[in-house]
Amino acid sequence: MTKEITTKLLVIGGGPGGYVAAIRAGQLGIPTVLVEGERLGGTCLTIGCIPSKALIHAAHEFERAQHQAGDSPLGIRVQSPSLDIAQTVRWKDGIVNRLSGGVGALLRKAGVQVIKGWAHIEDGKTVRIEPADGEAVRMHCEHLLLATGSEPVELPMLPFGGPVVSSTGALSPETLPRRLVVVGAGYIGLELGMAYRKLGAEVAVVEAAERILPGYDEELTQPVLDALEKSGVVLHLGCSVQGFDEKHGVHVRSARADEFALPADRVLVAVGRRPRSTGFGMESLQLDMAGRFVAVDAQCRTSMRGVWAIGDLAGDPMLAHRAMAQGEVVAEVIAGKARRFEPMAIPAVCFTDPEVVVVGRTPGEARAAGFDCIDAAFPFAANGRAMTLEATKGFVRVVARRDNHLIVGWQAVGQGVAELAAAFTLSIEMGARLEDVAGTIHAHPTLGEAVQEAALRALGHAIHI
Amino acid sequence: MGIYAIRVPDIGEGIAEVELVTWHVQPGDMVAEDQSIADVMTDKATVEIPSPVAGKVLALGSAVGDTIAVGSELVRLEVEGAGNLKENSAPAPVHQAQVAPVSIAKNNPPAAAPTQPVAPAQIASVSSRPGAAPRSAPAVARAAGERPLASPAVRQRALDMGLELRYVHGSGPAGRILQGDLDAHAAAGGQVQAQGPAGYAERHGEEAIPVIGLRRKIAQKMQESKRRIPHFSYVEEIDVTELEALRAKLNQLHGATRGKLTVLPFLARAMVLALREFPQINARYDDEAGVVTRYAGVHLGVATQTEGGLMVPVLRHAESLDLWACAAGIASVAEGARSGKAARDALSGSTITLTSLGALGGIASTPVINHPEVAIVGVNRMVERPMLRGGQVVGRLLMNLSSSFDHRVVDGMHAAQFIQAMRALLETPALLFVE
């Protein structure tokens, strides 16, 4: 005899989209139940953004320490540092635990009931939950929110297991590999590849495209490319992987059909993620799809009444902050408010070193969209703060319409530019023109001055260049 | 490839500046030789400026509504062969700073390359009348499918109010929709249709119409006239029963072949005859020089309502025209003014003006003298009234003439005598044809 529970809103998935929707729904007084099979926080908090940033930070600090151990121009002299990778992972796990626990506390505070277990959809209003412990529950709900997220794509010739890991495995290493081969030069592969390089591994990257970070333009990726080369990461662009054996390593075929092997004691496959749309009975709803994603409207409604989808399941870009924003929209729509998910821009950050930020349209995208645009970049080489941080690589670039100077895009590459995403996105959401940013006092000395200077330069009168 | 700058040509004697009224080209357009590139306005004439060469428009030197000096750069073209400018001269001073007016244009004019220094107005007069605040930015017309520009808070409030931002006018920079625009839109009935009759809703819309082009000219002329000329007005009643009978007869006899006559040619004829006795009224007074110039010929200004506003085309030598020639002449100059095809000399040089509102004439009016003339005669409505004639009440057709005179140079008595002379001629129309 299964237990029957009735609620107004049932959220499947406790990642950034699902937990935000549930908290907001709870705040609005909607009886809400959230089902999560693993840990609250989802990919982002437990096996994605947060742990990777922790590892990247640790790697960065280790590299700085090594940098000082040499002949530091800053005059700092330290003994040669060493790394206890197990402690690094424990430290990272501590952060993840704290955040995941925090999400649980927030959900409790909002009055959301959390059930740990795997959901199986029976129909658009009924979901069976098999908890890890205890008996199965049958949920009846008025609204069903699908927030199941995504999972790493597996390559058939490089199945996960043993030394072949996904990003999840790469974020919890028990030991450091001596030679790591990263398959895929997208942001996940490069972020982790660079971190491992800093931690001391020899790193080679295999990418089928002819360039790294294929989503970004070459001007933006050039500083990253320079940094990869400088740090000794070996790039094999235009190459495809054929397989792996522990003796020879990763078999690679180049564009000219040469075959060679890259010795490796660990292989990170980071060739993308796919929405998690199977395995929990969603097929039975026969929802309209948009390619591999569930098709949703501006309010995140699927083709079935009362069934909603958000986050990685419901389209690109697969980014936590997009899922969170959608989760809020859905909760408020269910609460009877008029809401739509229609941001002017969704920022995207790549935590390589240097970091890359893209908000809105790049010059090429603006042109392709039929806008007559001007763009201008301000290099960090001309920024005082960047010099004091030994971070003069990179630039801030702005793209604006030529006719009314409305800003349609910002891009930046450089150390620490991730934090500029807030200013970029706000200016676009507020409909700022170049003159608005140019006329705003930006604190000196900060990297943010480059933002103002880029706008000034687009207007033809930058001061410091 | 060379760069060719087209400058504002010398359009007429004594004209130092013109107002840009319309662009016929946009940056990026190909222009053929002699193709019209812009309309500029002087005094009251609108003149088309043709391109002397063929080429591609690089930049516009001015925005619509700007007053620009003769000789200043109007348009910069890229031409085959050598141009008349050095390639490396400063980039065309496009309105980099003054974005809004430029943005009216559908094709976006290329601003000077942002990385290059912008030459400060090489064009003598580029835009900016001193003190003229940037005109409240005309909103950029949103292209189909283009998203309205509004901050997240405004967007959310619009959703709460049930407003579609697409339909809301944005008054902010670049057409940004502000909180106040939502209020104005809702107040204007954007959303409150259901609540009570909209006809009684408070309306809060405001629209700032820049006074430019012809309207500015009219405003200047009217102000000038009223400020300089001490007007005095005189209204007299005319019995036009006989005149109308004659007009009906003439139209019956000759309407089919010579065209129908209105009352205007008769009035013109009466003026021509009456003015022979009063040459001081057919005159122009240059008050700065202190000279009144009297004219032997009568160049009759005909006040004409056009789409753009009031214009006064001139019927030259009205004294030499018979009724039908006069009628045809009036029709011709009025049509010229209305269609905007009037040549500059068809719009200046009048010595006295006749103004008629036809059926809208009212019973009296106080016409404003067309400076530097000294008199204007207005025609009021014709109406049948009961009148006493020889002790009998009879129906007569009556019409008032309302006239104004420059009292500095026309004495009241002479003005009255002039109108009385017209009256005598009009009441006994046979006299119109007696030399």
Side-chain angles (χ1 to χ4, degrees):
Chain A
M1 189 66 213
T2 51
K3 201 161 82 173
E4 310 268 333
I5 300 179
T6 300
T7 184
K8 181 154 179 184
L9 170 63
L10 176 65
V11 182
I12 300 181
Y19 86 71
V20 167
I23 289 174
R24 186 71 187 118
Q27 287 174 346
L28 292 164
I30 300 169
T32 304
V33 175
L34 184 146
V35 193
E36 170 57 54
E38 286 180 354
R39 299 181 66 187
L40 289 173
T43 298
C44 168
L45 254 65
T46 60
I47 51 169
C49 324
I50 297 294
S52 70
K53 261 79 268 177
L55 197 68
I56 287 166
H57 174 69
H60 179 68
E61 291 297 314
F62 183 61
E63 191 211 25
R64 299 295 296 174
Q66 281 180 319
H67 179 59
Q68 314 300 8
D71 226 0
S72 164
L74 277 59
I76 303 169
R77 300 286 177 264
V78 296
Q79 296 296 311
S80 180
S82 65
L83 183 74
D84 176 358
I85 187 71
Q87 169 56 28
T88 308
V89 172
R90 274 198 299 280
W91 166 77
K92 175 217 66 171
D93 286 344
I95 294 171
V96 170
N97 290 340
R98 204 171 335 141
L99 284 170
S100 182
V103 169
L106 291 170
L107 286 164
R108 261 196 310 284
K109 191 176 139 209
V112 176
Q113 185 188 351
V114 177
I115 299 180
K116 193 165 181 344
W118 294 102
H120 186 87
I121 295 171
E122 293 187 346
D123 61 46
K125 306 264 179 225
T126 318
V127 175
R128 197 178 71 247
I129 300 172
E130 317 229 327
D133 43 1
E135 58 180 323
V137 182
R138 177 173 281 120
M139 298 285 313
H140 301 276
C141 61
E142 201 178 313
H143 299 279
L144 177 61
L145 173 56
L146 308 175
T148 52
S150 60
E151 56 202 359
V153 171
E154 192 171 19
L155 289 175
M157 57 290 207
L158 280 178
F160 295 133
V164 180
V165 297
S166 67
S167 55
T168 309
L171 288 169
S172 292
E174 287 166 17
T175 58
L176 268 183
R178 201 162 68 80
R179 284 187 290 227
L180 173 71
V181 169
V182 178
V183 181
Y187 78 96
I188 296 174
L190 288 191
E191 284 181 10
L192 291 176
M194 286 183 122
Y196 268 84
R197 177 71 199 122
K198 290 178 178 182
L199 290 172
E202 286 176 30
V203 176
V205 178
V206 182
E207 165 63 48
E210 289 295 340
R211 39 178 306 221
I212 61 164
L213 297 171
Y216 302 143
D217 62 82
E218 296 196 14
E219 221 181 325
L220 268 179
T221 55
Q222 189 60 46
V224 181
L225 197 61
D226 295 344
L228 285 167
E229 269 171 25
K230 192 170 166 223
S231 69
V233 172
V234 183
L235 294 173
H236 299 278
L237 301 178
C239 294
S240 56
V241 291
Q242 303 296 309
F244 171 74
D245 71 73
E246 306 218 6
K247 190 166 164 223
H248 298 98
V250 179
H251 302 266
V252 178
R253 177 183 291 166
S254 77
R256 296 190 308 276
D258 304 334
E259 298 213 9
F260 57 96
L262 288 173
D265 53 349
R266 200 163 303 162
V267 182
L268 164 60
V269 178
V271 292
R273 300 181 65 82
R274 64 155 167 263
R276 198 181 275 132
S277 56
T278 55
F280 57 99
M282 197 191 86
E283 305 89 331
S284 68
L285 301 181
Q286 306 225 320
L287 300 176
D288 284 357
M289 302 295 283
R292 47 194 193 144
F293 300 107
V294 173
V296 293
D297 67 8
Q299 292 185 314
C300 301
R301 297 174 192 270
T302 68
S303 56
M304 182 182 279
R305 197 181 159 80
V307 178
W308 313 69
I310 58 174
D312 293 0
L313 179 66
D316 275 323
M318 295 194 195
L319 294 170
H321 42 264
R322 172 172 158 276
M324 293 183 185
Q326 288 182 320
E328 266 188 278
V329 168
V330 169
E332 300 198 353
V333 171
I334 290 174
K337 293 177 186 288
R339 289 292 175 270
R340 270 183 239 156
F341 178 71
E342 45 186 16
M344 297 295 286
I346 301 173
V349 182
C350 172
F351 285 87
T352 45
D353 181 12
E355 295 165 346
V356 182
V357 180
V358 175
V359 185
R361 293 182 156 111
T362 63
E365 288 166 351
R367 265 193 299 282
F371 286 106
D372 183 14
C373 281
I374 47 179
D375 62 89
F378 186 85
F380 285 117
N383 175 279
R385 179 59 177 150
M387 290 182 202
T388 67
L389 290 171
E390 303 175 281
T392 52
K393 298 279 191 305
F395 58 86
V396 172
R397 184 173 66 195
V398 65
V399 187
R401 279 172 58 154
R402 194 185 297 281
D403 58 351
N404 56 12
H405 293 180
L406 180 72
I407 296 171
V408 298
W410 287 102
Q411 296 88 42
V413 54
Q415 263 183 43
V417 295
E419 296 302 323
L420 298 180
F424 294 164
T425 316
L426 184 66
S427 78
I428 291 180
E429 287 291 346
M430 295 300 290
R433 303 192 322 175
L434 291 171
E435 288 84 350
D436 293 319
V437 175
T440 301
I441 295 178
H442 286 64
H444 177 79
T446 62
L447 297 180
E449 289 174 275
V451 176
Q452 185 183 14
E453 288 279 7
L456 282 167
R457 198 170 187 194
L459 292 170
H461 49 89
I463 300 294
H464 291 99
I465 192 159
Chain B
M1 287 303 214
I3 307 289
Y4 189 96
I6 301 179
R7 301 181 182 281
V8 178
D10 189 359
I11 295 163
E13 203 175 318
I15 291 176
E17 57 180 29
V18 298
E19 176 168 351
L20 182 63
V21 184
T22 316
W23 279 116
H24 294 305
V25 296
Q26 292 298 332
D29 289 359
M30 297 304 297
V31 177
E33 192 178 330
D34 281 337
Q35 184 184 334
S36 167
I37 50 176
D39 287 351
V40 298
M41 203 174 70
T42 69
D43 200 6
K44 278 190 180 176
T46 301
V47 179
E48 291 187 350
I49 298 195
S51 173
V53 293
K56 181 178 170 190
V57 179
L58 290 178
L60 307 181
S62 204
V64 168
D66 287 348
T67 301
I68 45 184
V70 167
S72 60
E73 187 173 316
L74 186 66
V75 158
R76 194 166 278 213
L77 300 181
E78 185 179 81
V79 294
E80 293 288 334
N84 60 359
L85 278 185
K86 286 209 171 97
E87 194 107 28
N88 59 1
S89 67
V94 187
H95 290 239
Q96 186 113 17
Q98 201 191 6
V99 173
V102 176
S103 64
I104 307 168
K106 241 187 162 177
N107 300 332
N108 311 322
T115 47
Q116 286 169 19
V118 177
Q122 179 195 37
I123 288 184
S125 67
V126 181
S127 76
S128 55
R129 286 164 296 284
R135 284 185 287 282
S136 68
V140 175
R142 281 195 284 274
E146 190 177 336
R147 287 181 53 181
L149 187 58
S151 76
V154 170
R155 277 179 258 159
Q156 196 159 97
R157 180 152 166 257
L159 284 171
D160 288 339
M161 294 167 77
L163 295 180
E164 274 293 340
L165 282 178
R166 265 176 306 156
Y167 303 121
V168 180
H169 169 79
S171 67
R176 195 186 299 162
I177 299 168
L178 310 177
Q179 294 280 6
D181 294 328
L182 293 185
D183 297 330
H185 185 80
Q191 168 232 16
V192 287
Q193 300 291 355
Q195 306 163 357
Y200 291 97
E202 288 183 17
R203 277 148 215 263
H204 298 280
E206 284 179 17
E207 194 184 359
I209 315 267
V211 177
I212 58 169
L214 180 60
R215 180 51 57 194
R216 184 156 74 200
K217 289 285 175 206
I218 294 171
Q220 283 167 353
K221 290 250 0 169
M222 289 296 174
Q223 172 113 27
E224 186 78 349
S225 176
K226 274 291 200 180
R227 190 170 65 78
R228 296 191 141 185
I229 304 178
H231 285 63
F232 96 91
S233 293
Y234 181 84
V235 182
E236 175 57 309
E237 186 175 65
I238 319 278
D239 184 334
V240 291
T241 315
E242 309 298 337
L243 183 74
E244 277 299 282
L246 172 66
R247 191 170 74 91
K249 194 77 184 169
L250 289 175
N251 279 342
Q252 191 196 336
L253 284 175
H254 299 295
T257 53
R258 302 191 189 177
K260 298 263 188 191
L261 295 171
T262 64
V263 77
L264 284 182
F266 295 92
L267 287 163
R269 182 69 192 158
M271 274 172 91
V272 163
L273 294 181
L275 284 170
R276 288 181 185 171
E277 304 302 319
F278 300 96
Q280 70 270 45
I281 292 174
N282 186 40
R284 291 161 73 93
Y285 177 25
D286 183 342
D287 47 8
E288 277 166 9
V291 175
V292 176
T293 309
R294 298 178 176 183
Y295 293 85
V298 177
H299 304 305
L300 185 64
V302 181
T304 305
Q305 184 64 37
T306 70
E307 215 169 292
L310 175 66
M311 294 179 83
V312 187
V314 182
L315 179 66
R316 304 220 159 247
H317 291 288
E319 78 281 0
S320 68
L321 304 172
D322 71 7
L323 286 179
W324 286 277
C326 179
I330 289 174
S332 158
V333 297
E335 176 53 31
R338 290 202 181 99
S339 64
K341 298 271 188 279
R344 196 181 116 69
D345 60 357
L347 290 165
S348 58
S350 55
T351 56
I352 188 165
T353 294
L354 180 63
T355 172
S356 166
L357 284 171
L360 298 173
I363 55 170
S365 52
T366 57
V368 178
I369 295 167
N370 186 18
H371 176 85
E373 293 162 32
V374 299
I376 182 167
V377 176
V379 184
N380 297 120
R381 179 170 37 122
M382 191 184 294
V383 64
E384 190 173 15
R385 289 183 198 280
M387 298 298 287
L388 279 170
R389 290 287 186 268
Q392 298 289 313
V393 174
V394 289
R396 303 292 291 180
L397 275 172
L398 295 165
M399 183 182 81
N400 288 357
L401 290 184
S402 298
S403 47
S404 295
F405 300 89
D406 185 340
H407 216 338
R408 296 173 299 179
V409 292
V410 181
D411 292 329
M413 189 180 77
H414 296 138
Q417 286 171 339
F418 165 65
I419 295 297
Q420 292 305 329
M422 276 188 74
R423 183 183 125 174
L425 290 162
L426 291 167
E427 293 195 340
T428 312
L431 295 177
L432 290 173
F433 308 102
V434 177
E435 282 296 327

